[in-house]
Amino acid sequence: MTSAERGGPTALEGRPWYAANEVLAFLVELAALGALAWWGVAAGDGVVARVLLGAGAPAVAAVVWGLFASPKARFRPPMAGVLLVKAVVLGGGAYAVHAVGHSVAAVCFAVVVVVNTTVAESFRRRTGYLA
């Protein structure tokens, strides 16, 4: 089915750079969840705490993201609220990388998060596309 059959062009058609940025955004989100799990396992004191933190930190982040920041979020706060959730979850991922002893990687991750989010949100605001 073409975009004309669906009623109009999609945001990704004819914009490979935008599609690439959206793929990068998804990978950054997964990396943040992985970093939170890594931090939880490293920070836990004992097997039970490691399992709870290793599974709980990314689970809480995923639930908050799904409720407020995902393209199909149950609640749609204003842009400032979405950016706050993204800052907390993705920034938490960057901090988690730092907390396990990889400061340079944490800074690199944070830079990628800021650039990726800025490009994605500025495109969405210009075109009115909200995934």
Side-chain angles (χ1 to χ4, degrees), residues 2 5 7 22 24 29 34 36 44-45 59 78 80 82 89 103 107 112 122 127:
T2 66
E5 294 168 344
E22 288 298 302
L24 178 60
E29 293 159 16
L36 289 168
D45 204 19
V82 173
V89 172
S103 298
V107 169
V112 170
S122 66
T127 63

Side-chain angles (χ1 to χ4, degrees), residues 20-47:
N21 194 60
E22 288 298 302
V23 169
L24 178 60
F26 180 67
L27 295 175
V28 164
E29 293 159 16
L30 291 178
L33 294 176
L36 289 168
W38 184 15
W39 166 82
V41 169
D45 204 19
V47 174

Side-chain angles (χ1 to χ4, degrees), residues 58-85:
V60 168
V63 167
V64 169
W65 188 275
L67 288 173
F68 301 105
S70 76
K72 296 183 180 185
R74 182 172 177 99
F75 305 102
R76 188 47 99 180
M79 179 61 70
V82 173
L83 292 176
L84 177 64
V85 170

Side-chain angles (χ1 to χ4, degrees), residues 106-116:
V107 169
C108 292
F109 183 69
V111 168
V112 170
V113 164
V114 169
V115 170
N116 174 261

